[in-house]
Amino acid sequence: MKRLAIFASGTGSNAKRLIDYFSGNKDISVVLLVSNRKEAGALEIARKAGIPAINFTKEEFYNSSTVLEKLIAEKIDFIVLAGFLIRVPDNILKAYENKIINIHPALLPDFGGKGMYGLNVHKAVIESGKSESGITIHLVNEHYDEGRILFQAKCPVLENDTAEMLAARVQELEHNYFPEAVERFIKEKTEG
Ligand code: GAR
């Protein structure tokens, strides 16, 4: 059984999809939700599903080994970032090399990097005049949004789209594809 921790900062709609998808799965189990914001909706979603959910301050993330120790104590095999909006600290990146998966609400390598999260991303896509956007599911390394791409899916950017309208279209792709992409990656990695 592979044990997953989800890291989430926000509403948690992707965390919910992952929790629901893996519930009852015999090979992969979501066993922990970690947040950097105590008011994150994702914490409540996990607790309702009976999954331990904890939050840490930025200070604890970056200047202590508390979070890493918790991951090790819980025997976490893989980490999934589902709207985790701060950088993953170096000690965790090192301990979980090629075992951290992120979802980004645009087609990387464009529209990634610092500050590119949430509606900022969709505003930038609309301002660029591109006719397509989408999602990128990728491995996380020390360079923001630059790890190996595992999966992408596209949707159109429509004339007169607002950032909110585009966000809703992109989020539908996220909910449809994220859990399966996570499962596929873990199976490939586990079965070689
Ligand atoms: C998702 O759209 C995810 O792609 C994005 O945050 C949102 C979280 O929504 N992540 C980033 O922007 C990472 N740079 P959720 O809390 O409803 O899952």
Side-chain angles (χ1 to χ4, degrees), residues 12 19 37 51 67-68 87 96 119 140 156 169 180 184:
I19 289 168
R37 288 179 58 235
I51 292 166
V67 183
L68 180 57
R87 222 185 96 79
Y96 284 90
L119 287 181
V140 176
R169 203 172 303 124
E180 277 179 37
R184 206 160 40 235

Side-chain angles (χ1 to χ4, degrees), residues 25-175:
N25 189 299
K26 64 176 177 25
D27 300 317
I28 299 170
S29 179
V30 177
V31 296
L32 184 67
L33 191 133
V34 175
S35 185
N36 60 307
R37 288 179 58 235
K38 65 176 183 315
E39 61 281 9
L43 287 165
E44 197 48 37
I45 285 171
R47 288 184 188 127
K48 276 201 182 123
I51 292 166
I54 46 182
N55 66 281
F56 297 102
T57 61
K58 261 189 165 181
E59 176 70 19
E60 285 170 304
F61 264 105
Y62 295 120
N63 299 327
S64 80
S65 54
T66 322
V67 183
L68 180 57
E69 280 163 17
K70 179 74 183 165
L71 298 173
I72 292 168
E74 294 295 332
K75 299 190 166 52
I76 300 301
D77 297 298
F78 293 92
I79 298 170
V80 182
L81 310 183
F84 188 64
L85 302 183
I86 62 171
R87 222 185 96 79
V88 176
D90 290 341
N91 61 343
I92 297 178
L93 283 176
K94 218 177 247 164
Y96 284 90
E97 203 181 344
N98 293 323
K99 291 179 175 174
I100 307 178
I101 304 164
N102 182 42
I103 189 158
H104 186 79
L107 296 171
L108 293 174
D110 294 336
F111 308 107
K114 212 167 162 52
M116 279 294 171
Y117 58 84
L119 287 181
N120 295 348
V121 179
H122 307 299
K123 280 183 193 145
V125 171
I126 290 169
E127 273 164 26
S128 77
K130 295 240 188 231
S131 60
E132 279 184 327
S133 190
I135 60 169
T136 304
I137 297 167
H138 65 98
L139 294 180
V140 176
N141 62 23
E142 66 277 17
H143 304 291
Y144 243 96
D145 294 332
E146 288 179 21
R148 177 156 73 87
I149 292 175
L150 303 174
F151 178 85
Q152 290 187 306
K154 292 180 182 172
C155 64
V157 179
L158 303 177
E159 226 176 299
N160 303 325
D161 256 353
T162 61
E164 288 79 5
M165 286 156 73
L166 180 56
R169 203 172 303 124
V170 168
Q171 194 163 61
E172 206 175 306
L173 292 178
E174 297 191 319
H175 293 172

